[in-house]
Amino acid sequence: MARISVTPHIESARVETRTPAQVGGWGYRLSGLGTTVMLRSGECLVVRAKGRDFAVSVDDAERGAALLNSLTGTRAGRP
């Protein structure tokens, strides 16, 4: 099993509320907000890496953001 270090790639993680209308519909979408995997409306985990945002709608996005930020040493909510 390969291990991937998140530290050099992820700058920060945060939570945003997004709707399909904001990102252009359901599924894998590219928009002015960045890349989004929209599976349902509501909370999205937004990960900033290499100057770009990638979001996915998930349950408990706050916990995911907190975990990623703790691994990278950044604070939640900082872009």
Side-chain angles (χ1 to χ4, degrees):
M1 185 166 144
R3 289 181 181 236
I4 299 172
S5 175
V6 299
T7 306
H9 304 289
I10 295 177
E11 297 166 23
S12 64
R14 65 185 185 280
V15 177
E16 286 184 7
T17 299
R18 294 187 180 182
T19 65
Q22 290 175 304
V23 298
W26 299 100
Y28 186 84
R29 297 291 182 215
L30 301 173
S31 72
L33 296 173
T35 304
T36 303
V37 178
M38 182 58 68
L39 305 173
R40 61 181 178 82
S41 290
E43 285 190 347
C44 291
L45 171 61
V46 183
V47 178
R48 183 147 187 90
K50 298 181 182 180
R52 296 183 177 177
D53 286 346
F54 176 82
V56 62
S57 56
V58 294
D59 289 331
D60 205 1
E62 188 68 41
R63 181 181 286 186
L67 173 63
L68 289 173
N69 286 325
S70 69
L71 291 172
T72 61
T74 60
R75 301 168 91 189
R78 284 181 48 191

